[in-house]
Amino acid sequence: MLLTFVKDTFGTALPTAVKKPFDVAEAIENKISGLVAAGAFVPLIAMIFTSAGGDDSALYGDAGPWP
């Protein structure tokens, strides 16, 4: 996160060759934070849908028999 701050703060004064490694580090940081957020969010949503789901027969009652 510190690298991103430095890049954003001094980005206009730094040459492109110096900014590119910071861009790569920022992209990796974004990917990691996305994985962490998904790891916290997906189980929570799965738990909510599982507990609210109950009996699915009402969903398929009018559909008739499965082929």
Side-chain angles (χ1 to χ4, degrees), residues 1-2 4 21 25 27-28 30 35-36 38 40 48-49 54-56 58 63 65 67:
M1 196 158 109
L2 180 64
T4 303
I28 292 170
N30 289 339
L35 289 172
V36 169
I48 290 171
F49 282 139
D55 186 18
D56 289 340

Side-chain angles (χ1 to χ4, degrees), residues 28-63:
I28 292 170
E29 178 190 5
N30 289 339
K31 298 291 183 187
I32 291 172
S33 63
L35 289 172
V36 169
F41 182 73
V42 170
L44 176 68
I45 296 302
M47 182 180 65
I48 290 171
F49 282 139
T50 302
S51 65
D55 186 18
D56 289 340
S57 63
L59 294 173
Y60 303 116
D62 295 334

